[in-house]
Amino acid sequence: MSESSAAKRPPTIDDVLRLRAAEPVVSAAGEADGDAAGDADGGAAPTRIVEIARLAGVSPITVSRALRQPEKVAEAKRRKILEIVERTGYATNPHARALRSGQSNIVAAFVSNLQSQQFCLAVQGCGEVLEPQGYQLMIGQTSYSYAKETTMIQSLREMRPAAVMFTGVIEIEENRRALRALGIPIMETWAYPRDPIDMLVGFSNIDGGRLAAEHFAGRGHCRVAFIGRRSGRGALRLTGFREGARAAGLDIVAELSVDRVGSMVDGRRALAELLSRNAAVEAVFCANDLLATGALLEARRLGMRLPDDIAILGFGHNDVAEELPPGLTTIGIDSRDLGRQAGSMILQRMRGDMPPEPIRAVELTLTHRGSS
């Protein structure tokens, strides 16, 4: 097994799609939810840190410090902030009272898919840093759904965690504004946009797609295909794959969209569909390892020899990729290390300090195994 890294150059900026609004969130009664800014019962939204900051003439982070670590804020400013807190009723929420007293110890971690080993490793790495310091991770799953993401972000206003981490970046502008308004550390990951909400530990998905095309070209494959989501990170990897294929003179003969990725079964079905339409495909880049593992199993079921009849490349690095014959070639990162870095930065912010590098890039690597 050999392992190679992406070219030593600054990461390419991921031009993450920004959306103006979420898809409607349907309640159990079948009715679409209302404005994300309002309370669930239709009442007025509670006073937020950003409003307290406006009234006090300070920044939201200063308000957060005054509530968490008052010794780090000048007495005059602290008194003014606490006076506004009392006057506005900010501390009537029990979670807000915990925040005010510095006792909030919950860090919310939202993962795209709990079946992804990479996401779970990242959260574990984050926990390895935060838990010894008395913080606890509370995990939620967005399932790549804008509606679920929006609902979870709305719930943060009442829950008032100490910080929030996402295995992804937030695309919906309303959700980005809502997170900023919380006045707590926000960590985004798994991409490299130019404008994260607060802090970011990520990598360029566009570079990952280019690396896939370069690998196929180096192995002599000419007729290639893509399987993945056409939104979010999948779209960015496809963009890079197209650019890399064009530069290397490869022919992308098929692009198959899989909008919801839940398990390896989705990869099996996707490869079967792709081959039924494009029998001459020589190599397939799957935008995540669940798809790639399913595709590898389907290719074996069909009696295809890898990589002679078809080459398969995944994205993610998981234990199954190495153990499943003939071994799945993958592009990925050290997910646990990403989580540890994210946890260290979150901890630094919760202690009232700004990390010297609020935006960090981790290294992409390609691990070559028998599937390509």
Side-chain angles (χ1 to χ4, degrees), residues 105-109 126 130 135-138 161-165 346 350:
N105 69 337
I106 298 297
V107 173
C126 185
L130 296 178
Y135 293 94
Q136 297 296 322
L137 292 176
M138 184 181 69
V164 186
M165 174 183 175
I346 290 170
M350 290 191 297

Side-chain angles (χ1 to χ4, degrees), residues 16 33 37 39 81 89 108 164 170 228 248 312 317 323 328 341 343 358 360:
V16 175
D33 288 348
D39 276 286
I81 290 168
V164 186
I170 305 303
I312 296 175
H317 285 332
E323 299 298 330
L328 177 65
Q341 291 193 50
R360 298 184 187 177

Side-chain angles (χ1 to χ4, degrees), residues 16 18 110-112 119 122 142 144 149 164-171 179 186-193 196-197 199-203 205 233 338:
V16 175
R18 297 304 184 201
F110 295 127
V111 301
S112 306
F119 297 151
T142 63
Y144 300 103
E149 175 189 283
V164 186
M165 174 183 175
F166 294 91
T167 61
V169 297
I170 305 303
E171 299 174 2
L179 288 166
I186 306 295
M187 173 61 68
E188 296 173 281
T189 63
W190 249 266
Y192 200 72
I197 295 169
M199 298 182 293
L200 176 116
V201 182
F203 56 86
N205 290 273
R233 295 183 291 273
L338 179 150

Side-chain angles (χ1 to χ4, degrees), residues 181-220:
L182 293 174
I184 61 176
I186 306 295
M187 173 61 68
E188 296 173 281
T189 63
W190 249 266
Y192 200 72
R194 67 182 75 251
D195 56 347
I197 295 169
D198 182 20
M199 298 182 293
L200 176 116
V201 182
F203 56 86
S204 171
N205 290 273
I206 291 176
D207 286 347
R210 287 178 182 149
L211 186 57
E214 291 166 4
H215 174 72
F216 284 156
R219 305 299 296 176

Side-chain angles (χ1 to χ4, degrees), residues 216-236:
F216 284 156
R219 305 299 296 176
H221 303 299
C222 297
R223 296 173 58 83
V224 300
F226 172 88
I227 297 175
R229 297 172 61 240
R230 286 189 181 273
S231 61
R233 295 183 291 273
L236 295 168

Side-chain angles (χ1 to χ4, degrees), residues 55-306:
L55 293 172
V58 298
S59 67
I61 191 63
T62 300
V63 175
S64 183
R65 285 176 181 166
L67 299 177
R68 294 170 180 275
Q69 296 177 298
E71 71 279 2
K72 292 193 174 185
V73 179
E75 183 178 358
K77 284 186 179 180
R78 185 173 70 249
R79 286 181 178 276
K80 186 173 184 180
I81 290 168
L82 293 179
E83 178 187 341
I84 293 170
V85 165
E86 294 295 339
R87 176 160 49 85
T88 59
Y90 174 79
T92 58
N93 183 293
H95 299 288
R97 284 198 299 271
L99 178 63
R100 182 188 171 199
S101 63
Q103 296 174 353
S104 178
N105 69 337
I106 298 297
V107 173
F110 295 127
V111 301
S112 306
N113 187 343
L114 283 170
Q115 292 197 48
S116 166
Q117 184 183 20
Q118 292 71 51
F119 297 151
C120 291
L121 284 172
V123 172
Q124 287 174 12
C126 185
E128 288 170 3
V129 174
L130 296 178
E131 289 170 1
Q133 304 302 317
Y135 293 94
Q136 297 296 322
L137 292 176
M138 184 181 69
I139 301 173
Q141 178 178 237
T142 63
S143 303
Y144 300 103
S145 166
Y146 290 133
K148 286 185 178 180
E149 175 189 283
T150 299
T151 298
M152 289 178 176
I153 290 173
Q154 290 173 12
S155 73
L156 294 175
R157 193 179 64 235
E158 298 300 322
M159 187 176 71
R160 293 291 175 181
V164 186
M165 174 183 175
F166 294 91
T167 61
V169 297
I170 305 303
E171 299 174 2
I172 298 171
E173 291 292 357
E174 291 176 10
N175 290 345
R176 286 163 58 83
R177 287 193 294 271
L179 288 166
R180 286 195 190 98
L182 293 174
I184 61 176
I186 306 295
M187 173 61 68
E188 296 173 281
T189 63
W190 249 266
Y192 200 72
R194 67 182 75 251
D195 56 347
I197 295 169
D198 182 20
M199 298 182 293
L200 176 116
V201 182
F203 56 86
S204 171
N205 290 273
I206 291 176
D207 286 347
R210 287 178 182 149
L211 186 57
E214 291 166 4
H215 174 72
F216 284 156
R219 305 299 296 176
H221 303 299
C222 297
R223 296 173 58 83
V224 300
F226 172 88
I227 297 175
R229 297 172 61 240
R230 286 189 181 273
S231 61
R233 295 183 291 273
L236 295 168
R237 292 168 193 172
L238 176 56
T239 295
F241 189 58
R242 287 170 175 167
E243 292 177 1
R246 185 165 56 248
L250 306 184
D251 182 14
I252 299 181
V253 297
E255 296 175 358
L256 182 64
S257 174
V258 181
D259 292 328
R260 296 192 181 276
V261 181
S263 70
M264 291 182 288
V265 173
D266 297 304
R268 281 183 175 272
R269 292 171 178 165
L271 184 69
E273 181 180 346
L274 186 145
L275 293 177
S276 70
R277 301 177 182 177
N278 305 274
V281 171
E282 298 174 7
V284 181
F285 171 40
C286 297
N288 71 53
D289 271 4
L290 281 177
L291 291 174
T293 303
L296 187 151
L297 291 171
E298 181 64 14
R300 289 178 53 192
R301 187 190 72 80
L302 294 172
M304 304 180 79
R305 297 168 302 160
L306 285 87

